[in-house]
Amino acid sequence: MQGEDPFDQGAGSILRQPKAVWATAGASVVAFMGIGLVDPILPSIAKGLEATPSQVSLLFTSYFLITAVAMLVTGFVSSRIGGRKTLLTGLALVVVFAALSGTSSSVAELVGFRAGWGLGNALFVSTALAVIVGAAAGGSSAAILLYESALGLGMACGPLLGALLGDASWRYPFFGTAALMAIGFICITAFLKEQPKPARKTSLLDPIKALGHGGLASVATSAFFYNYAFFTILAFTPFVLNMTPYKSGAVFFAWGLLLAVFSVLVAPRLQKRFGSLKVLGASLVLLAVDLVILGYGNHAAAIVCTIVSGAFIGMNNTVYTELALGVSDAPRPVASAGYNFVRWFAAAAAPYLAPKIEEWSNIHIPFVVAAIAAVVGAVVVRIRRTALTHEAKELEPGHATEDGVTVFAD
């Protein structure tokens, strides 16, 4: 794969892809937008539904709890009905539950609808990259870059869309997402043909069995603690910043841009120069330092540290993906499912626990706890470095393939 230029104007260029690839990539942008969409409007939702920050943060908890459990189901489903039908099923669920979220009359209803949204998003996101690579023209390099760019763009634009529509009403971002996903559904229906089904069907227990491998279990454990830190920033910081939707959206847009740049461009270069484990350990420690400053600094420092955290999160996401997909002998879609099953539980826990910790102590301590979690993640990598180094397969930074199909753990 080295030596390929994904921006070359040949047949394999990122700019010269079939309509099916662009349709799936476009829907992927909107799918990833759904993760950070509610960030700028969390205070508005709390005010509109007369809810506390801890209650509103359950929007993330329900979303990611269902996403975690769904990781055991997505491979089971897609290996039986095919990638196209799995994508369309996920999109349909997102359209329905995003629209219902906008009609919520209580925070309990909204939390429930976000859970349904999480199921749809899990089905879609877990299948999208394999479908993009299967439908892409030329080599897989351009397809991978296109997907990772969609991920970064979605994470950056989600808060921006939430801010623009949420300034008028907290309900509008949900309706807007439903409309965009409906367009994605129509485009995929029109342009994407069914992909070949895998030769072997995946069982519900395969991802759990894969975690019996010490290297994969170590990566998943470290990622669990890292994700707690990650989603403390994503779900709790908007309440600390206490800004208008526009200003909060701008902060998280800048955060998402750094995440995209460091994930796609910076992390692979640092991995080649210093090695994955050194990059990951250093990035986790720097994220912990950033969190402590965020928690104890003034308002300007909190804004800067929120944005800067996107750089560390982008690098961590890329390196964890490489380790998860290369450390065991399990088929990589199965290893990815097991890894995500563990780490998304932390993404569900952090949004709920951070406001509770503030209620029990003060506004600084949730960030201290998140910083400790990031350090624990680094310690796990350090202690288990032998397993992670000697058992890992050779993977090019940023990419991993299984029988010609590229998969992505995020």
Side-chain angles (χ1 to χ4, degrees):
M1 197 174 291
Q2 290 196 8
E4 294 182 19
D5 182 1
F7 289 97
D8 182 77
Q9 294 301 309
S13 168
I14 188 174
L15 304 177
R16 297 173 64 87
Q17 296 294 334
K19 292 180 181 179
V21 173
W22 287 113
T24 307
S28 297
V29 172
V30 182
F32 288 116
M33 285 170 62
I35 294 177
L37 178 81
V38 299
D39 265 18
I41 57 174
L42 285 176
S44 300
I45 294 174
K47 182 178 180 181
L49 296 178
E50 299 180 350
T52 65
S54 60
Q55 289 175 323
V56 173
S57 293
L58 289 174
L59 296 178
F60 286 99
T61 297
S62 63
Y63 183 92
F64 288 114
L65 185 62
I66 295 301
T67 298
V69 176
M71 286 300 157
L72 302 180
V73 178
T74 53
F76 177 87
V77 173
S78 64
S79 65
R80 284 163 173 79
I81 68 174
R84 181 176 183 271
K85 291 179 181 178
T86 304
L87 287 180
L88 292 175
T89 300
L91 284 170
L93 287 171
V94 172
V95 170
V96 170
F97 285 104
L100 288 173
S101 295
T103 68
S104 302
S105 59
S106 69
V107 71
E109 283 186 9
L110 185 53
V111 168
F113 292 143
R114 278 282 285 182
W117 186 343
L119 174 60
N121 217 47
L123 288 170
F124 177 85
V125 169
S126 65
T127 312
L129 181 57
V131 170
I132 287 176
V133 173
S140 61
S141 177
I144 294 164
L145 181 58
L146 184 63
Y147 180 83
E148 292 182 349
S149 299
L151 185 154
L153 185 62
M155 292 293 285
C157 290
L160 195 61
L161 178 67
L164 293 174
L165 297 180
D167 189 60
S169 170
W170 65 263
R171 299 180 186 274
Y172 291 168
F174 297 112
F175 294 136
T177 300
L180 290 173
M181 283 305 236
I183 294 173
F185 184 96
I186 294 171
C187 290
I188 289 178
T189 301
F191 299 123
L192 180 65
K193 296 180 180 179
E194 184 57 83
Q195 306 295 295
K197 296 179 183 179
R200 176 182 176 275
K201 293 181 179 180
T202 301
S203 77
L204 292 174
L205 293 180
D206 280 350
I208 299 296
K209 293 177 181 177
L211 289 170
H213 185 278
L216 183 60
S218 299
V219 175
T221 300
S222 178
F224 175 90
F225 289 103
Y226 155 65
N227 264 29
Y228 183 92
F230 175 2
F231 285 93
T232 295
I233 294 172
L234 195 62
F236 183 64
T237 302
F239 293 107
V240 176
L241 297 179
N242 194 27
M243 303 165 74
T244 64
Y246 276 126
K247 292 181 179 178
S248 182
V251 169
F252 279 96
F253 177 68
W255 168 87
L257 286 180
L258 275 185
L259 187 154
V261 169
F262 276 75
S263 176
V264 176
L265 300 178
V266 178
R269 288 170 171 79
L270 291 178
Q271 284 177 269
K272 288 179 180 179
R273 182 170 181 179
F274 300 106
S276 295
L277 298 188
K278 289 182 179 179
V279 171
L280 182 58
S283 183
L284 287 168
V285 171
L286 289 173
L287 177 61
V289 173
D290 183 82
L291 279 160
V292 173
I293 298 173
L294 197 165
Y296 283 94
N298 58 24
H299 193 260
I303 292 174
V304 171
C305 288
T306 299
I307 295 172
V308 169
S309 70
F312 306 127
I313 290 169
M315 286 194 292
N316 292 338
N317 286 349
T318 294
V319 180
Y320 273 119
T321 296
E322 295 299 330
L323 293 175
L325 296 183
V327 76
S328 76
D329 293 326
R332 291 187 179 114
V334 174
S336 174
Y339 160 75
N340 280 297
F341 173 71
V342 173
R343 76 183 185 113
W344 285 126
F345 277 109
Y352 175 75
L353 290 177
K356 289 293 185 183
I357 292 171
E358 182 197 11
E359 293 173 7
W360 300 332
S361 54
N362 58 59
I363 199 170
H364 309 297
I365 302 303
F367 294 103
V368 174
V369 173
I372 293 172
V375 171
V376 171
V379 170
V380 171
V381 170
R382 176 67 178 172
I383 293 175
R384 296 290 297 167
R385 65 188 182 279
T386 301
L388 297 176
T389 300
H390 292 273
E391 296 178 25
K393 301 173 186 175
E394 290 297 325
L395 292 174
E396 180 182 351
H399 311 91
T401 60
E402 173 71 15
D403 298 328
V405 177
T406 302
V407 292
F408 191 80
D410 278 300

